[in-house]
Amino acid sequence: MKRKEQFCQYLLSWYDENKRCLPWRHTDDPYLIWVCEIMAQQTRISFLLDYYNRFTKQFPDVQSLANAEEADVLKAWEGLGYYSRARNLWKAAQKVVLDFNGALPKTKKELLSLPGIGEYTAGAIMSIAYGIPTPAVDGNVLRVFSRLENSDSDISLPQTRRATANLVETVMPKGRAGGFTQALMELGALICIPKNPNCIHCPVSELCEAYIIGTQKELPKKSPKSSPKPINKTILIIQNSQSEILMRQRSEKLLLGLWEFYSLDEFVNEEDISTHLQSLGLTAYEIKPLGTAKHIFTHLIWQMRGYICKSENQNAPHGYRWIGKFEFETLAIPAALRFYVQKVLNDN
């Protein structure tokens, strides 16, 4: 009990003096806290700040997000990656309007019924927005408690996450649930970092079992991920005589709903490109290399070679459209293709 009380006291005192000034820490609006927590998944806080400010300015509340077009939501999310987060946020906003009168629910069960909200996000909203003591266990929290308890349990296992959630729940103070949740996140983000934790400046180091015996750099334990699979892609920026670009909206799970250039899942030379275009009913009078690019997804690596192909033909192949420059700039296009998007913009 004494260790628990000391932990809360030391952690919260440190947080009050050292917390970063972040926009969502100046509000108790559940919607804004929800948006921030969704954006922060798989994304560094420093990177998402501008996106958060723009997104919440365009969609300041649940109703505005629910009323938006999916394409506009994806465009506002462009560059953040993991677009299923944006799509689920949009769908969840519509459900909140329809089923909860436009107010984000206050029970964990109801929050978990919304698309894109899992145990962690529900816990964060419950504790930060509503002050209800509810564990929010992410990678930062798992790392902190693995070291605090000197635990060699694999943090990638569901049972380890559940055990940590139970531990957090026993420690969490009822009067400052939101501050405690954010303090844990802040400790993991700034001090108890994955490599070379800054134990000298840690407010709870004297309570940390791993630090006391010197095993903090060996923790947490986590099963290694499989290496991303490389895929060779030839990106074809096909332009007609009006300088419109041939594009399609993806129907695949990866990058669903985003727009992309014509591509082939292999590297091909210019002669083969010309032959392939002819099979589509397109005759290229100029094919010019645009350079190489690479993008790493969680499980895939796109290794790309790009070409600009100029064609006089007007008929677009099935599933594709000719896109003019004005419309092109309004489309949500994957960050994976940013290198070639810039080529298009600079060329025009």
Side-chain angles (χ1 to χ4, degrees):
M1 182 61 68
K2 182 179 179 181
R3 183 170 178 246
K4 167 188 170 181
E5 292 174 353
Q6 287 179 325
F7 179 79
C8 291
Q9 178 186 342
Y10 297 167
L11 178 64
L12 288 169
S13 295
W14 169 82
Y15 175 70
D16 290 339
E17 293 181 9
N18 297 278
K19 63 184 177 184
R20 290 171 291 180
C21 183
L22 301 173
W24 50 86
R25 288 185 175 156
H26 302 287
T27 180
D28 57 2
D29 184 338
Y31 169 75
L32 297 178
I33 292 167
W34 173 33
V35 171
C36 139
E37 291 300 335
I38 296 298
M39 282 192 171
Q41 296 170 14
Q42 307 289 336
T43 306
R44 296 188 308 276
I45 295 295
S46 59
F47 181 77
L48 68 81
L49 282 172
D50 287 342
Y51 287 96
Y52 172 85
N53 290 329
R54 287 196 300 269
F55 192 92
T56 53
K57 183 177 181 180
Q58 185 173 353
F59 310 113
D61 50 38
V62 173
Q63 189 72 57
S64 61
L65 180 58
N67 291 343
E69 296 292 331
E70 180 182 14
D72 293 333
V73 176
L74 293 177
K75 182 64 177 177
W77 201 270
E78 185 178 31
L80 268 177
Y82 299 95
Y83 287 87
S84 60
R85 295 180 297 171
R87 192 173 291 105
N88 284 332
L89 193 63
W90 175 63
K91 291 178 181 177
Q94 294 175 327
K95 185 174 174 63
V96 168
V97 169
L98 288 173
D99 297 347
F100 301 103
N101 297 317
L104 211 60
K106 292 186 177 182
T107 70
K108 184 176 179 181
K109 181 179 179 180
E110 289 173 324
L111 284 170
L112 290 172
S113 74
L114 299 175
I117 292 187
E119 291 283 338
Y120 165 76
T121 306
I125 294 170
M126 291 286 290
S127 60
I128 299 172
Y130 298 131
I132 300 172
T134 313
V137 177
D138 66 352
N140 284 325
V141 176
L142 285 166
R143 186 167 60 254
V144 167
F145 275 87
S146 287
R147 289 169 175 163
L148 188 68
E149 300 301 305
N150 192 39
S151 171
D152 61 0
S153 298
D154 186 342
I155 64 169
S156 63
L157 298 177
Q159 55 264 39
T160 303
R161 185 175 291 266
R162 287 194 297 270
T164 303
N166 291 335
L167 189 56
V168 171
E169 192 168 21
T170 65
V171 175
M172 181 176 285
K174 292 183 179 180
R176 289 199 61 186
F180 183 80
T181 292
Q182 294 182 85
L184 275 180
M185 297 176 189
E186 200 79 337
L187 185 69
L190 302 182
I191 302 293
C192 197
I193 56 180
K195 295 180 180 180
N196 299 315
N198 189 4
C199 299
I200 295 176
H201 294 100
C202 178
V204 295
S205 60
E206 67 181 70
L207 305 173
C208 178
E209 298 291 344
Y211 175 67
I212 291 170
I213 64 176
T215 58
Q216 68 272 30
K217 292 185 180 181
E218 301 168 19
L219 298 172
K221 299 294 185 182
K222 187 176 183 180
S223 300
K225 291 183 178 179
S226 56
S227 300
K229 176 184 177 183
I231 293 179
N232 297 333
K233 294 182 75 71
T234 300
I235 308 298
L236 303 181
I237 300 175
I238 305 169
Q239 291 183 315
N240 63 18
S241 55
Q242 278 74 48
S243 295
E244 296 171 321
I245 302 164
L246 192 67
M247 301 191 75
R248 75 163 184 131
Q249 193 170 23
R250 287 179 63 89
S251 58
E252 296 88 340
K253 184 177 180 181
L254 177 66
L255 307 177
L256 177 67
L258 303 189
W259 289 80
E260 68 173 354
F261 306 112
Y262 193 92
S263 66
L264 300 168
D265 286 337
E266 60 181 335
F267 288 151
V268 295
N269 57 35
E270 293 178 29
E271 182 179 347
D272 290 337
I273 290 172
S274 179
T275 300
H276 183 79
L277 292 179
Q278 288 177 8
S279 71
L280 299 175
L282 301 172
T283 302
Y285 63 85
E286 180 181 344
I287 299 176
K288 185 172 64 175
L290 285 179
T292 61
K294 181 173 75 171
H295 187 82
I296 302 174
F297 297 94
T298 305
H299 303 295
L300 298 172
I301 300 176
W302 280 6
Q303 300 176 147
M304 297 170 280
R305 293 178 184 172
Y307 295 84
I308 187 164
C309 309
K310 298 196 174 180
S311 170
E312 294 180 350
N313 306 71
Q314 300 300 314
N315 294 327
H318 178 70
Y320 284 80
R321 285 177 49 201
W322 293 110
I323 302 293
K325 183 185 178 184
F326 177 79
E327 185 180 1
F328 178 83
E329 293 178 349
T330 69
L331 300 180
I333 302 173
L337 299 174
R338 184 176 295 147
F339 176 81
Y340 298 108
V341 169
Q342 290 303 123
K343 294 285 186 181
V344 171
L345 295 176
N346 293 338
D347 186 53
N348 289 277

